[in-house]
Amino acid sequence: MSGADRPAAAGPLSRRTVLGSALALAGCERPAQSAAPVSAPPLQSAAGFPVGAAIQAAQLQDPAFAALVAANVSQITPEWEMKMEYVVADDGTFRFDAPDRIAAFARTRGLRLFGHTLVWYAQSPPGFERLDEGRVRFADAYRNYILALVGRYRDVAAGWDVVNEAVAEDGEGWRDSLWAQRLGAFEHMVLAFRHAREADAAVPLFLNDYNLEYLPKKRATFLKLAERLLAAGAPLGGLGTQTHVAADLAPGTLRTAIGEIASLGLPVHVSEFDVSLSRARGPRRRPELEAGQARVYAEAAEAFAALPAAQRFAFTFWGLRDKDSWLKRENGADAPLPFDDQGRPKAGAAAWAAALR
Ligand code: G3I
Protein backbone atom coordinates (compact mmCIF):
# COMPACT_ATOMS: atom_id res chain seq x y z
CA MET A 1 0.00 0.00 0.00
CA SER A 2 1.38 3.43 -0.81
CA GLY A 3 1.01 4.40 2.74
CA ALA A 4 0.77 2.78 6.09
CA ASP A 5 -2.46 0.89 6.74
CA ARG A 6 -2.48 0.77 10.50
CA PRO A 7 -3.29 -2.84 11.42
CA ALA A 8 -6.13 -3.08 13.98
CA ALA A 9 -3.74 -4.60 16.51
CA ALA A 10 -3.42 -6.95 13.58
CA GLY A 11 -5.26 -6.67 10.30
CA PRO A 12 -5.93 -3.68 8.06
CA LEU A 13 -7.94 -0.67 9.08
CA SER A 14 -11.57 -1.48 8.29
CA ARG A 15 -13.83 1.19 6.80
CA ARG A 16 -16.09 0.90 9.88
CA THR A 17 -13.09 1.51 12.13
CA VAL A 18 -11.98 4.51 10.13
CA LEU A 19 -15.47 6.02 10.24
CA GLY A 20 -15.80 5.11 13.93
CA SER A 21 -12.51 6.77 14.80
CA ALA A 22 -13.23 9.77 12.64
CA LEU A 23 -16.63 10.32 14.21
CA ALA A 24 -15.15 9.83 17.67
CA LEU A 25 -12.43 12.38 16.92
CA ALA A 26 -14.79 14.82 15.27
CA GLY A 27 -17.20 14.54 18.20
CA CYS A 28 -14.55 15.69 20.69
CA GLU A 29 -15.23 18.88 22.66
CA ARG A 30 -12.54 20.77 20.82
CA PRO A 31 -13.00 21.79 17.19
CA ALA A 32 -10.89 19.93 14.68
CA GLN A 33 -8.03 22.26 15.52
CA SER A 34 -4.83 20.96 16.97
CA ALA A 35 -4.23 21.55 20.67
CA ALA A 36 -3.12 24.90 22.07
CA PRO A 37 0.49 25.59 21.06
CA VAL A 38 3.24 25.11 23.63
CA SER A 39 6.84 26.25 23.90
CA ALA A 40 9.48 23.86 22.62
CA PRO A 41 13.07 24.28 21.41
CA PRO A 42 13.75 23.91 17.67
CA LEU A 43 13.75 20.17 16.95
CA GLN A 44 17.32 19.93 15.65
CA SER A 45 18.72 21.90 18.62
CA ALA A 46 17.16 19.36 21.01
CA ALA A 47 18.66 16.32 19.24
CA GLY A 48 22.15 14.87 19.22
CA PHE A 49 21.45 13.33 15.80
CA PRO A 50 20.18 14.59 12.43
CA VAL A 51 16.51 15.57 12.35
CA GLY A 52 14.66 15.52 9.03
CA ALA A 53 11.33 16.38 7.48
CA ALA A 54 9.44 15.40 4.35
CA ILE A 55 8.79 18.39 2.12
CA GLN A 56 7.36 19.26 -1.29
CA ALA A 57 8.90 21.72 -3.73
CA ALA A 58 5.86 24.01 -3.72
CA GLN A 59 6.00 24.36 0.09
CA LEU A 60 9.50 25.80 -0.15
CA GLN A 61 8.12 28.87 -1.95
CA ASP A 62 6.49 29.91 1.35
CA PRO A 63 9.10 31.91 3.30
CA ALA A 64 7.49 31.03 6.64
CA PHE A 65 7.67 27.33 5.82
CA ALA A 66 11.23 27.60 4.51
CA ALA A 67 12.18 29.30 7.79
CA LEU A 68 10.43 26.56 9.82
CA VAL A 69 12.43 23.93 7.93
CA ALA A 70 15.74 25.76 8.33
CA ALA A 71 15.13 26.31 12.05
CA ASN A 72 14.12 22.75 12.90
CA VAL A 73 15.84 20.21 10.68
CA SER A 74 19.18 19.45 9.05
CA GLN A 75 17.83 16.98 6.49
CA ILE A 76 14.95 16.97 4.01
CA THR A 77 13.21 14.13 2.18
CA PRO A 78 11.18 14.83 -0.97
CA GLU A 79 7.73 13.56 -0.02
CA TRP A 80 6.95 12.48 -3.59
CA GLU A 81 8.97 14.42 -6.17
CA MET A 82 11.92 12.03 -6.34
CA LYS A 83 9.67 9.04 -6.93
CA MET A 84 8.96 7.44 -10.28
CA GLU A 85 5.45 8.92 -10.26
CA TYR A 86 7.05 12.34 -10.67
CA VAL A 87 10.37 11.67 -12.41
CA VAL A 88 9.36 9.11 -15.07
CA ALA A 89 7.06 10.49 -17.77
CA ASP A 90 4.73 8.15 -19.68
CA ASP A 91 7.12 8.11 -22.65
CA GLY A 92 9.98 7.02 -20.38
CA THR A 93 11.75 10.38 -20.30
CA PHE A 94 12.74 11.94 -16.97
CA ARG A 95 11.80 15.28 -15.41
CA PHE A 96 13.87 16.79 -12.67
CA ASP A 97 12.49 20.32 -12.28
CA ALA A 98 10.95 19.86 -8.82
CA PRO A 99 13.66 17.53 -7.45
CA ASP A 100 16.26 20.05 -8.63
CA ARG A 101 14.48 22.83 -6.71
CA ILE A 102 14.45 20.68 -3.58
CA ALA A 103 18.15 19.83 -4.00
CA ALA A 104 18.96 23.51 -4.56
CA PHE A 105 17.12 24.39 -1.34
CA ALA A 106 19.20 21.79 0.52
CA ARG A 107 22.45 23.06 -0.98
CA THR A 108 21.82 26.77 -0.28
CA ARG A 109 20.82 26.04 3.32
CA GLY A 110 23.46 23.40 4.01
CA LEU A 111 20.85 20.67 4.56
CA ARG A 112 21.33 16.96 3.87
CA LEU A 113 19.05 15.55 1.18
CA PHE A 114 17.60 12.08 1.73
CA GLY A 115 16.52 10.48 -1.55
CA HIS A 116 13.14 8.71 -1.49
CA THR A 117 12.57 6.30 -3.16
CA LEU A 118 14.12 4.44 -6.06
CA VAL A 119 12.17 1.15 -6.21
CA TRP A 120 8.66 0.77 -4.75
CA TYR A 121 6.07 -1.90 -5.50
CA ALA A 122 3.40 0.82 -5.40
CA GLN A 123 4.75 2.69 -8.42
CA SER A 124 5.39 1.17 -11.84
CA PRO A 125 4.79 4.01 -14.29
CA PRO A 126 3.70 3.41 -17.89
CA GLY A 127 7.19 4.51 -18.97
CA PHE A 128 8.39 1.16 -17.64
CA GLU A 129 5.33 -1.00 -18.14
CA ARG A 130 5.42 -0.25 -21.88
CA LEU A 131 8.98 -1.55 -22.12
CA ASP A 132 8.06 -4.94 -23.49
CA GLU A 133 11.20 -5.54 -25.55
CA GLY A 134 12.22 -8.37 -23.24
CA ARG A 135 14.29 -8.45 -20.12
CA VAL A 136 17.47 -6.81 -21.45
CA ARG A 137 15.71 -3.60 -22.53
CA PHE A 138 13.85 -3.44 -19.20
CA ALA A 139 16.98 -4.12 -17.18
CA ASP A 140 18.79 -1.34 -19.06
CA ALA A 141 15.96 1.12 -18.40
CA TYR A 142 15.91 0.13 -14.71
CA ARG A 143 19.67 0.73 -14.41
CA ASN A 144 19.56 3.97 -16.40
CA TYR A 145 16.82 5.35 -14.15
CA ILE A 146 18.73 4.61 -10.97
CA LEU A 147 22.04 5.89 -12.37
CA ALA A 148 20.38 9.10 -13.59
CA LEU A 149 18.58 9.90 -10.34
CA VAL A 150 21.25 8.92 -7.81
CA GLY A 151 24.05 10.38 -9.94
CA ARG A 152 22.25 13.71 -10.25
CA TYR A 153 22.22 14.39 -6.50
CA ARG A 154 25.49 12.77 -5.51
CA ASP A 155 26.87 16.06 -4.15
CA VAL A 156 24.04 16.63 -1.66
CA ALA A 157 22.53 13.22 -0.89
CA ALA A 158 23.11 11.85 2.62
CA GLY A 159 21.27 8.62 1.87
CA TRP A 160 18.72 6.91 -0.36
CA ASP A 161 15.74 4.66 0.21
CA VAL A 162 16.72 2.18 -2.50
CA VAL A 163 13.94 -0.38 -1.93
CA ASN A 164 10.73 0.69 -0.20
CA GLU A 165 8.08 -1.59 1.35
CA ALA A 166 9.36 -4.89 -0.05
CA VAL A 167 7.95 -7.09 2.74
CA ALA A 168 4.45 -8.57 2.68
CA GLU A 169 2.13 -7.21 5.37
CA ASP A 170 1.65 -10.68 6.90
CA GLY A 171 5.42 -11.21 6.97
CA GLU A 172 5.06 -14.17 4.60
CA GLY A 173 7.76 -13.25 2.09
CA TRP A 174 7.99 -10.21 -0.16
CA ARG A 175 5.48 -8.18 -2.15
CA ASP A 176 4.98 -8.82 -5.85
CA SER A 177 5.75 -5.92 -8.19
CA LEU A 178 6.57 -5.10 -11.81
CA TRP A 179 10.23 -5.06 -10.74
CA ALA A 180 10.01 -8.54 -9.20
CA GLN A 181 8.14 -9.92 -12.22
CA ARG A 182 10.60 -8.53 -14.78
CA LEU A 183 13.91 -8.83 -12.93
CA GLY A 184 13.39 -11.36 -10.15
CA ALA A 185 11.88 -11.26 -6.67
CA PHE A 186 15.25 -10.89 -4.93
CA GLU A 187 17.46 -10.03 -7.91
CA HIS A 188 15.68 -6.73 -8.63
CA MET A 189 16.55 -5.58 -5.09
CA VAL A 190 20.22 -6.58 -5.37
CA LEU A 191 20.38 -4.83 -8.76
CA ALA A 192 18.86 -1.64 -7.33
CA PHE A 193 21.46 -1.46 -4.58
CA ARG A 194 24.27 -2.23 -7.01
CA HIS A 195 23.11 0.41 -9.53
CA ALA A 196 22.77 3.01 -6.78
CA ARG A 197 26.31 2.23 -5.57
CA GLU A 198 27.56 2.48 -9.18
CA ALA A 199 26.06 5.99 -9.34
CA ASP A 200 27.39 7.11 -5.96
CA ALA A 201 30.39 5.34 -4.43
CA ALA A 202 29.73 6.41 -0.86
CA VAL A 203 26.11 7.32 -0.10
CA PRO A 204 24.39 5.10 2.53
CA LEU A 205 21.76 2.93 0.86
CA PHE A 206 18.63 1.98 2.81
CA LEU A 207 15.95 -0.66 2.91
CA ASN A 208 12.77 1.05 4.18
CA ASP A 209 9.42 -0.31 5.38
CA TYR A 210 6.38 0.42 7.55
CA ASN A 211 4.32 -1.24 10.30
CA LEU A 212 7.52 -2.81 11.63
CA GLU A 213 6.42 -1.75 15.13
CA TYR A 214 2.86 -3.06 14.82
CA LEU A 215 3.74 -6.36 13.11
CA PRO A 216 6.59 -8.35 14.71
CA LYS A 217 6.38 -11.04 11.99
CA LYS A 218 6.77 -8.41 9.26
CA ARG A 219 9.69 -6.96 11.23
CA ALA A 220 11.35 -10.38 11.42
CA THR A 221 10.99 -10.90 7.66
CA PHE A 222 12.33 -7.37 7.06
CA LEU A 223 15.44 -8.18 9.11
CA LYS A 224 15.89 -11.53 7.34
CA LEU A 225 15.69 -9.72 3.98
CA ALA A 226 18.34 -7.26 5.16
CA GLU A 227 20.61 -10.12 6.20
CA ARG A 228 20.06 -11.86 2.86
CA LEU A 229 20.93 -8.68 0.96
CA LEU A 230 24.13 -8.32 2.98
CA ALA A 231 24.98 -11.99 2.38
CA ALA A 232 24.46 -11.46 -1.35
CA GLY A 233 26.96 -8.60 -1.28
CA ALA A 234 24.39 -5.85 -1.83
CA PRO A 235 25.77 -2.53 -0.49
CA LEU A 236 22.99 -2.18 2.12
CA GLY A 237 24.05 0.62 4.47
CA GLY A 238 21.02 1.27 6.67
CA LEU A 239 17.49 0.31 7.70
CA GLY A 240 14.52 2.66 7.56
CA THR A 241 11.53 2.15 9.80
CA GLN A 242 8.81 4.55 8.65
CA THR A 243 6.99 4.66 12.01
CA HIS A 244 3.57 5.86 10.90
CA VAL A 245 1.80 5.10 14.18
CA ALA A 246 -1.31 6.09 16.15
CA ALA A 247 -1.77 7.89 19.45
CA ASP A 248 -2.95 4.72 21.20
CA LEU A 249 0.22 2.77 20.39
CA ALA A 250 0.95 0.47 23.32
CA PRO A 251 3.77 1.77 25.56
CA GLY A 252 7.09 0.02 24.87
CA THR A 253 6.17 -0.93 21.29
CA LEU A 254 8.58 1.56 19.68
CA ARG A 255 11.38 0.79 22.12
CA THR A 256 11.12 -2.92 21.23
CA ALA A 257 10.86 -2.36 17.48
CA ILE A 258 13.67 0.18 17.15
CA GLY A 259 15.90 -1.92 19.40
CA GLU A 260 15.30 -5.04 17.27
CA ILE A 261 15.84 -3.20 13.99
CA ALA A 262 19.15 -1.93 15.38
CA SER A 263 20.22 -5.48 16.28
CA LEU A 264 21.87 -5.93 12.86
CA GLY A 265 24.27 -3.13 13.73
CA LEU A 266 23.35 -0.99 10.70
CA PRO A 267 22.45 2.72 10.91
CA VAL A 268 18.74 3.20 11.64
CA HIS A 269 16.53 5.86 10.10
CA VAL A 270 13.18 6.65 11.69
CA SER A 271 12.18 7.73 8.23
CA GLU A 272 8.54 8.89 8.20
CA PHE A 273 7.43 9.59 11.77
CA ASP A 274 3.90 10.79 12.44
CA VAL A 275 1.38 9.94 15.17
CA SER A 276 -2.20 9.87 13.99
CA LEU A 277 -5.02 10.87 16.32
CA SER A 278 -7.82 9.64 14.07
CA ARG A 279 -6.32 6.19 13.55
CA ALA A 280 -6.40 5.59 17.34
CA ARG A 281 -8.96 3.00 18.32
CA GLY A 282 -12.31 3.63 19.96
CA PRO A 283 -14.23 6.76 21.01
CA ARG A 284 -11.71 9.00 22.73
CA ARG A 285 -11.77 12.66 23.69
CA ARG A 286 -9.31 14.83 21.84
CA PRO A 287 -7.29 15.80 24.96
CA GLU A 288 -6.81 12.08 25.70
CA LEU A 289 -5.65 11.47 22.14
CA GLU A 290 -3.25 14.42 22.29
CA ALA A 291 -1.80 13.16 25.58
CA GLY A 292 -1.31 9.74 24.01
CA GLN A 293 0.32 11.36 21.00
CA ALA A 294 2.79 13.25 23.21
CA ARG A 295 3.62 10.02 25.03
CA VAL A 296 4.37 8.26 21.72
CA TYR A 297 6.50 11.22 20.57
CA ALA A 298 8.51 10.95 23.80
CA GLU A 299 8.97 7.19 23.54
CA ALA A 300 10.12 7.50 19.92
CA ALA A 301 12.72 10.09 20.92
CA GLU A 302 13.94 8.04 23.88
CA ALA A 303 14.14 4.81 21.87
CA PHE A 304 16.07 6.44 19.03
CA ALA A 305 18.40 8.36 21.35
CA ALA A 306 19.19 5.09 23.17
CA LEU A 307 20.84 3.71 20.02
CA PRO A 308 24.63 3.85 19.70
CA ALA A 309 25.63 7.14 18.05
CA ALA A 310 26.90 5.32 14.93
CA GLN A 311 23.42 3.87 14.42
CA ARG A 312 21.47 7.11 14.83
CA PHE A 313 21.28 7.98 11.13
CA ALA A 314 18.37 10.43 11.36
CA PHE A 315 14.90 10.96 12.80
CA THR A 316 12.61 12.22 10.05
CA PHE A 317 9.11 13.61 10.56
CA TRP A 318 6.76 12.96 7.65
CA GLY A 319 5.98 16.64 7.42
CA LEU A 320 6.21 19.52 9.91
CA ARG A 321 2.80 21.23 9.95
CA ASP A 322 -0.44 19.29 10.47
CA LYS A 323 -2.03 20.80 7.38
CA ASP A 324 0.71 19.29 5.19
CA SER A 325 0.16 15.71 6.39
CA TRP A 326 -0.87 12.95 3.98
CA LEU A 327 -3.12 11.72 6.79
CA LYS A 328 -5.37 14.76 6.30
CA ARG A 329 -6.63 13.05 3.13
CA GLU A 330 -8.00 10.24 5.31
CA ASN A 331 -9.39 12.45 8.06
CA GLY A 332 -9.32 16.24 7.92
CA ALA A 333 -9.44 16.40 11.73
CA ASP A 334 -6.20 14.49 12.15
CA ALA A 335 -3.19 16.33 13.60
CA PRO A 336 -0.18 13.97 13.49
CA LEU A 337 2.78 16.33 13.17
CA PRO A 338 4.95 18.37 15.60
CA PHE A 339 3.67 21.78 14.49
CA ASP A 340 0.15 23.12 14.08
CA ASP A 341 -1.15 24.66 10.84
CA GLN A 342 0.47 27.98 11.76
CA GLY A 343 3.86 26.35 12.39
CA ARG A 344 3.58 26.60 16.21
CA PRO A 345 5.03 23.69 18.24
CA LYS A 346 2.56 21.29 19.83
CA ALA A 347 2.69 19.10 22.94
CA GLY A 348 4.25 16.29 20.88
CA ALA A 349 7.19 18.48 19.88
CA ALA A 350 7.70 19.57 23.50
CA ALA A 351 7.52 15.97 24.76
CA TRP A 352 9.91 14.80 22.01
CA ALA A 353 12.46 17.50 22.92
CA ALA A 354 12.04 16.98 26.68
CA ALA A 355 12.69 13.24 26.26
CA LEU A 356 16.05 14.09 24.66
CA ARG A 357 17.23 16.38 27.45
O1 G3I B 1 0.68 18.20 -5.99
C1 G3I B 1 0.05 17.44 -7.03
C2 G3I B 1 -1.10 18.26 -7.65
O2 G3I B 1 -0.55 19.40 -8.30
C3 G3I B 1 -1.85 17.38 -8.65
O3 G3I B 1 -2.96 18.11 -9.14
C4 G3I B 1 -2.33 16.12 -7.92
C5 G3I B 1 -3.12 15.21 -8.83
O4 G3I B 1 -2.25 14.40 -9.55
O5 G3I B 1 -1.17 15.39 -7.44
C6 G3I B 1 -0.49 16.15 -6.45
O6 G3I B 1 0.63 15.39 -6.05
C7 G3I B 1 0.31 14.37 -5.12
C8 G3I B 1 1.36 14.48 -3.99
O7 G3I B 1 1.18 13.41 -3.03
C9 G3I B 1 1.28 15.81 -3.26
O8 G3I B 1 0.07 15.91 -2.59
C10 G3I B 1 0.49 13.02 -5.81
O9 G3I B 1 -0.52 12.86 -6.77
C11 G3I B 1 0.37 11.91 -4.76
O10 G3I B 1 0.64 10.65 -5.37
C12 G3I B 1 1.39 12.14 -3.64
O11 G3I B 1 1.14 11.17 -2.63
C13 G3I B 1 2.27 10.84 -1.82
C14 G3I B 1 2.33 9.30 -1.71
O12 G3I B 1 3.38 8.90 -0.82
C15 G3I B 1 2.56 8.67 -3.06
O13 G3I B 1 3.78 9.14 -3.59
C16 G3I B 1 2.09 11.45 -0.43
O14 G3I B 1 2.17 12.88 -0.51
C17 G3I B 1 3.17 10.93 0.51
O15 G3I B 1 2.93 11.39 1.85
C18 G3I B 1 3.19 9.40 0.51
O16 G3I B 1 4.29 9.02 1.29
C19 G3I B 1 4.42 7.60 1.51
C20 G3I B 1 5.90 7.25 1.43
O17 G3I B 1 6.41 7.62 0.17
C21 G3I B 1 6.09 5.77 1.72
N1 G3I B 1 5.52 5.41 3.03
C22 G3I B 1 4.09 5.75 3.16
C23 G3I B 1 3.89 7.24 2.92
C24 G3I B 1 2.44 7.63 3.11
O18 G3I B 1 1.64 7.02 2.15
Side-chain angles (χ1 to χ4, degrees):
M1 185 233 164
S2 65
D5 246 340
R6 183 245 162 130
L13 211 51
S14 71
R15 179 170 166 68
R16 183 175 50 78
T17 310
V18 170
L19 286 179
S21 307
L23 289 174
L25 185 61
C28 294
E29 296 119 30
R30 306 171 74 111
Q33 283 299 321
S34 53
V38 299
S39 70
L43 299 174
Q44 184 58 74
S45 69
F49 44 79
V51 178
I55 53 92
Q56 300 180 28
Q59 294 165 344
L60 302 177
Q61 313 305 316
D62 168 4
F65 181 75
L68 188 69
V69 171
N72 283 282
V73 303
S74 59
Q75 178 176 291
I76 53 177
T77 300
E79 187 168 1
W80 73 291
E81 287 151 314
M82 274 191 190
K83 295 171 182 170
M84 285 187 180
E85 67 174 310
Y86 186 90
V87 173
V88 183
D90 288 359
D91 64 359
T93 57
F94 303 151
R95 63 170 173 163
F96 293 115
D97 54 341
D100 282 355
R101 288 205 303 275
I102 292 169
F105 182 86
R107 289 189 191 98
T108 50
R109 284 167 177 76
L111 301 174
R112 300 171 8 149
L113 177 71
F114 189 82
H116 174 80
T117 180
L118 296 176
V119 177
W120 188 14
Y121 82 92
Q123 298 195 356
S124 44
F128 274 98
E129 281 179 336
R130 291 189 186 138
L131 287 172
D132 54 8
E133 296 85 27
R135 181 187 162 103
V136 172
R137 178 88 173 76
F138 189 93
D140 288 347
Y142 186 75
R143 175 173 174 270
N144 290 342
Y145 163 69
I146 293 172
L147 293 183
L149 191 51
V150 176
R152 192 176 185 91
Y153 303 111
R154 189 171 40 227
D155 67 304
V156 65
W160 273 96
D161 278 335
V162 176
V163 173
N164 187 44
E165 301 179 5
V167 177
E169 203 58 358
D170 62 6
E172 295 292 338
W174 311 321
R175 294 175 185 275
D176 190 20
S177 69
L178 174 69
W179 324 113
Q181 290 157 18
R182 304 295 292 273
L183 297 172
F186 182 66
E187 190 56 21
H188 85 275
M189 297 191 234
V190 176
L191 285 171
F193 279 95
R194 288 208 177 120
H195 296 334
R197 177 55 73 239
E198 185 186 349
D200 184 332
V203 71
L205 302 174
F206 283 75
L207 181 70
N208 190 49
D209 220 320
Y210 73 95
N211 275 351
L212 302 181
E213 59 292 306
Y214 281 112
L215 302 173
K217 193 171 173 195
K218 181 176 184 180
R219 183 167 72 232
T221 304
F222 175 82
L223 293 173
K224 284 195 192 86
L225 171 57
E227 289 174 319
R228 187 167 165 190
L229 285 166
L230 291 169
L236 172 64
L239 299 177
T241 177
Q242 294 180 14
T243 320
H244 294 290
V245 294
D248 62 345
L249 182 69
T253 306
L254 286 183
R255 201 170 300 115
T256 302
I258 292 173
E260 247 183 60
I261 291 161
S263 65
L264 295 194
L266 289 170
V268 175
H269 185 195
V270 171
S271 54
E272 305 182 17
F273 185 72
D274 48 30
V275 183
S276 171
L277 301 179
S278 52
R279 287 185 166 192
R281 288 275 164 276
R284 295 168 188 265
R285 314 306 301 166
R286 182 126 182 163
E288 182 190 351
L289 289 168
E290 287 164 350
Q293 182 183 61
R295 180 186 55 75
V296 174
Y297 265 70
E299 181 177 327
E302 284 160 1
F304 190 75
L307 296 180
Q311 288 190 267
R312 300 198 294 255
F313 175 78
F315 190 111
T316 293
F317 295 86
W318 205 241
L320 288 177
R321 300 171 306 188
D322 284 328
K323 68 180 179 178
D324 300 324
S325 174
W326 67 291
L327 287 164
K328 284 282 193 186
R329 299 171 207 171
E330 190 175 281
N331 184 321
D334 210 349
L337 292 175
F339 296 92
D340 68 14
D341 292 355
Q342 288 70 43
R344 298 173 301 191
K346 292 157 51 187
W352 188 87
L356 296 173
R357 265 200 287 277

